[in-house]
Amino acid sequence: MYTIREGRVEDLPKVLELVRELAIYEKAPDEVINTVEMMEKDGFGPHPVFGFFVAIKSETQEIVGTSIYYYRYSTWKGKRLYLEDLVVTASERGKGAGKMLFDRTLAKTLEDGCSGMTWQVLDWNTPAINFYQKYGADLDGEWINCNLQENQIKEILQIQ
Amino acid sequence: MYTIREGRVEDLPKVLELVRELAIYEKAPDEVINTVEMMEKDGFGPHPVFGFFVAIKSETQEIVGTSIYYYRYSTWKGKRLYLEDLVVTASERGKGAGKMLFDRTLAKTLEDGCSGMTWQVLDWNTPAINFYQKYGADLDGEWINCNLQENQIKEILQIQ
């Protein structure tokens, strides 16, 4: 059995471990440049830019999963809750913790007056796609993600 | 010739027109539920959730384009500037206004200490893809966008 509660600052080291576990699953372990210190500042400073829930395993009181969210602004739909990461550690998958985290985050979407919840899934992540389709989510694969990193931008704008 | 300046509240009716023009180009005109009133509240209230630049045509002093941005939080990369919309009205395309808006928004990314700029492009929008590739942007088409709207969430959670 699991319980879901809001995340606390002392959960961050474990939560960052889960973020890294997801990045490995998504074949991009080297993409994670975030640190516990950065997450502490960004999630618990005067203007928090993200929030999170954790799933606790009742028997051991360990954190076995997390959902991390923040707010987006859609010029089409207005304020949206964005589910940045939903991750349950490998050994605990398929036992309901993911559904509990997802549903709690859906409830947060309503609590905060957002027009809906938005997230992304990799096109080869069939278990996750099946999970989201059971909810009746609209899945749209027509979009390409684009990125320019800070050092590239400095080069483009010829800033030292 | 064009000049770029920060958006003002009185620009919003024209900016929403440009948002609608882009939605038509993106074959989703009915997806825009946003209004000038909502944009006024979300962009100019006590906690603005987005900002924008406008391109002004020198001869006529008309707004002919806009870039609309807000901040995202990446658990991999930290704070990101997200370019929500970049649009130049059809009659003014190909004359440099888009590049000026894009570059101004890149500069904003650095001004605000973000780790980079992120955006999306439709996979059939070849002119835009070519434009972004000239900048050396990383384009990743492996992700599917997922959405649940407020009314669907209420049904899922069985809330009246």
Side-chain angles (χ1 to χ4, degrees):
Chain A
M1 291 288 295
Y2 306 101
T3 53
I4 308 295
R5 65 162 171 77
E6 288 197 23
R8 300 173 190 150
V9 68
E10 62 266 28
D11 302 332
L12 287 174
K14 181 68 198 176
V15 165
L16 185 58
E17 262 180 50
L18 289 167
V19 166
R20 291 204 184 103
E21 185 177 338
L22 181 59
I24 291 165
Y25 179 74
E26 291 178 342
K27 300 170 189 168
D30 299 335
E31 295 291 319
V32 182
I33 59 173
N34 213 351
T35 63
V36 169
E37 291 67 34
M38 283 166 70
M39 291 190 84
E40 195 167 325
K41 184 168 73 68
D42 291 331
F44 294 90
H47 303 287
V49 292
F50 73 92
F52 62 104
F53 294 104
V54 291
I56 310 281
K57 187 174 180 167
S58 307
E59 299 159 42
T60 59
Q61 289 297 304
E62 275 179 315
I63 293 174
V64 296
T66 188
S67 70
I68 303 173
Y69 61 85
Y70 63 91
Y71 303 95
R72 287 195 172 178
Y73 184 71
S74 161
T75 41
W76 294 4
K77 306 285 184 193
K79 192 176 164 191
R80 305 288 285 185
L81 192 128
Y82 185 78
L83 175 62
E84 166 75 9
D85 279 342
L86 175 66
V87 49
V88 172
T89 196
S91 59
E92 297 292 326
R93 279 181 211 151
K95 302 177 193 169
K99 183 171 164 48
M100 287 174 75
L101 283 165
F102 190 77
D103 288 355
R104 182 65 192 87
T105 316
L106 285 177
K108 181 78 180 165
T109 304
L110 299 183
E111 288 162 24
D112 291 358
C114 297
S115 69
M117 189 171 99
T118 297
W119 68 101
Q120 292 193 321
V121 64
L122 280 159
D123 58 11
W124 50 257
N125 190 353
T126 313
I129 291 171
N130 290 343
F131 176 81
Y132 298 140
Q133 277 176 335
K134 271 188 219 155
Y135 278 92
D138 168 52
L139 269 61
D140 178 354
E142 261 195 324
W143 295 90
I144 297 169
N145 283 341
C146 309
N147 276 289
L148 281 168
Q149 308 304 340
E150 191 181 2
N151 59 336
Q152 293 177 288
I153 296 173
K154 283 182 181 167
E155 267 182 45
I156 290 163
L157 300 179
Q158 297 179 296
I159 290 167
Q160 304 303 311
Chain B
M1 291 288 294
Y2 306 100
T3 52
I4 307 294
R5 64 161 172 78
E6 287 198 24
R8 300 171 190 152
V9 68
E10 61 266 28
D11 302 331
L12 286 175
K14 182 67 198 175
V15 165
L16 186 56
E17 262 180 51
L18 289 166
V19 166
R20 290 205 184 103
E21 187 178 336
L22 180 60
I24 291 165
Y25 179 75
E26 291 179 341
K27 300 170 189 170
D30 299 335
E31 294 291 318
V32 182
I33 59 173
N34 212 351
T35 64
V36 169
E37 291 68 34
M38 282 166 71
M39 292 189 85
E40 196 168 326
K41 184 167 73 71
D42 291 332
F44 294 90
H47 303 287
V49 291
F50 73 93
F52 61 104
F53 294 104
V54 292
I56 310 281
K57 187 174 182 168
S58 307
E59 299 160 42
T60 59
Q61 290 297 303
E62 276 179 315
I63 292 173
V64 296
T66 189
S67 70
I68 303 172
Y69 62 85
Y70 63 91
Y71 304 95
R72 286 194 174 178
Y73 184 71
S74 161
T75 40
W76 293 4
K77 304 286 183 193
K79 193 176 163 191
R80 303 290 285 185
L81 193 127
Y82 184 78
L83 175 61
E84 166 73 10
D85 278 341
L86 175 67
V87 50
V88 173
T89 196
S91 60
E92 298 292 326
R93 280 180 209 151
K95 302 175 192 170
K99 181 172 166 44
M100 287 174 74
L101 283 165
F102 190 78
D103 288 355
R104 182 65 192 87
T105 317
L106 285 177
K108 181 78 180 166
T109 303
L110 299 183
E111 287 162 25
D112 291 358
C114 296
S115 69
M117 190 171 99
T118 297
W119 67 102
Q120 291 192 321
V121 64
L122 280 159
D123 58 11
W124 49 259
N125 190 353
T126 312
I129 291 171
N130 289 343
F131 177 82
Y132 298 140
Q133 278 177 335
K134 271 188 220 156
Y135 279 91
D138 167 51
L139 268 61
D140 178 354
E142 260 194 326
W143 294 89
I144 297 170
N145 283 341
C146 308
N147 275 290
L148 281 168
Q149 308 304 340
E150 191 182 1
N151 58 336
Q152 293 177 288
I153 296 172
K154 284 181 179 167
E155 267 182 46
I156 290 163
L157 300 179
Q158 297 179 297
I159 290 167
Q160 304 303 311

